[in-house]
Amino acid sequence: MKHADLGTLNGPVLLFGGPYSNIQALDALITVAAARGIECGHMICTGDVVAYCGGPVQTVQRMRDLECAVVAGNCEVQLASGAPDCGCGFEEGSACDLLSAGWYGFAASAVHAADKAWMGRLPDVVTFTHQGARYGVLHGGVTDVFRFIWASSDASVFAQEWTALEEQVGPVDHVIAGHCGIPFIATTAKGRWINAGVIGMPPHDGCQQTRFAILDGGEVQIHRLDYDVAGALRDMADAGLPEGYRRGLQSGYWPSEDVLPADLRLPSLASG
């Protein structure tokens, strides 16, 4: 496991996940950070720089130019290793599994070899200290990079992953994670488990805005991100990407609820 420690970050820290090849969303986030006076060294990405949208090359380049901390997501791990699929953890044959084949093939052929090598060098875990508390940052889980962890996950799931993390990097007071695409802050027996959500895709709430978080003074607030949705849709159409995720950006609802736990599924879809 590759581990990077960022030292002490006592000013505001911008936390975000899943740019998902959505260059418009990433540019909007960079604008927000600049307006708030947050420097690149105080921005941390929980991985999946490349995924569903139409600008994988531009998004990777912008992330590399930004030089903020990035944890390796399953998409980075798979692209760097030349794997045949995204390793997202979708059930075989599910709608998300079938849709992922389209964007992953496009991204794998578009992303440059040097950028895949960069992905292969990304740490699996990042740590830092903020206001006297130590934070560990990961993608899905330590036991599995593609593990889906939700606010409603059993306490044993959080305990298992926390133990696995501390076995690798030592004690942490709070955990910051990504992968699932839904922002939440859960209080566990060990500390807070913070998921900042993702900037590249709405959190299945019927709104086009995506999510990021800011850690400041030990407190975390989740914020909405406005961006050029029309531009992202044009990029996806130009790339010939599957219609499902284009509908997702436009409607604010995911193309499938396959991976979602029951408490996050929409009653109208669940009954249908």
Side-chain angles (χ1 to χ4, degrees):
M1 191 198 76
K2 297 188 288 294
H3 168 217
D5 185 77
L6 305 181
T8 299
L9 304 177
N10 276 340
V13 182
L14 193 154
L15 311 169
F16 67 105
Y20 289 168
S21 303
N22 189 332
I23 185 60
Q24 288 80 9
L26 180 55
D27 282 344
L29 185 76
I30 293 170
T31 298
V32 168
R36 290 175 174 264
I38 300 176
E39 299 179 351
C40 301
H42 281 228
M43 298 174 68
I44 302 173
C45 177
T46 60
D48 285 353
V49 174
V50 169
Y52 313 113
C53 298
V57 175
Q58 303 95 313
T59 305
V60 173
Q61 186 59 60
R62 194 82 83 250
M63 287 294 294
R64 295 192 66 178
D65 291 343
L66 192 60
E67 296 185 336
C68 72
V70 184
V71 167
N74 55 277
C75 295
E76 283 75 56
V77 171
Q78 296 298 92
L79 286 166
S81 67
D85 58 57
C86 66
C88 293
F90 301 140
E91 184 177 346
E92 185 175 357
S94 67
C96 287
D97 179 52
L98 297 173
L99 284 170
S100 71
W103 72 255
Y104 184 81
F106 168 68
S109 63
V111 174
H112 305 307
D115 291 329
K116 292 177 182 177
W118 168 77
M119 293 176 182
R121 295 190 296 270
L122 294 174
D124 303 294
V125 172
V126 163
T127 53
F128 67 95
T129 300
H130 176 83
Q131 298 295 322
R134 189 166 187 249
Y135 291 76
V137 187
L138 55 133
H139 181 63
V142 175
T143 61
D144 280 310
V145 68
F146 55 78
R147 188 175 197 180
F148 288 103
I149 298 176
W150 315 94
S152 59
S153 292
D154 191 82
S156 62
V157 173
F158 292 104
Q160 179 190 28
E161 292 298 340
W162 210 296
T163 297
L165 175 62
E166 292 190 326
E167 286 176 351
Q168 296 289 339
V169 302
V172 297
D173 299 295
H174 308 287
V175 172
I176 297 164
H179 187 57
C180 76
I182 305 288
F184 67 87
I185 302 172
T187 301
T188 78
K190 297 279 287 183
R192 290 173 300 174
W193 187 283
I194 301 158
N195 192 312
V198 298
I199 63 168
M201 186 69 61
H204 197 54
D205 65 349
C207 297
Q208 293 182 341
Q209 295 161 313
T210 58
R211 300 293 189 276
F212 67 96
I214 293 179
L215 168 66
D216 192 12
E219 299 300 318
V220 180
Q221 289 191 335
I222 294 172
H223 298 270
R224 293 174 177 266
L225 179 68
D226 290 299
Y227 73 95
D228 177 15
V229 177
L233 291 171
R234 283 194 300 271
D235 284 352
M236 295 175 78
D238 290 345
L241 293 177
E243 179 67 27
Y245 286 117
R246 279 188 268 164
R247 287 198 306 270
L249 286 191
Q250 194 160 34
S251 69
Y253 292 113
W254 293 1
S256 168
E257 295 189 323
D258 292 337
V259 302
L260 287 171
D263 63 302
L264 292 179
R265 298 188 178 202
L266 301 174
S268 60
L269 295 182
S271 62

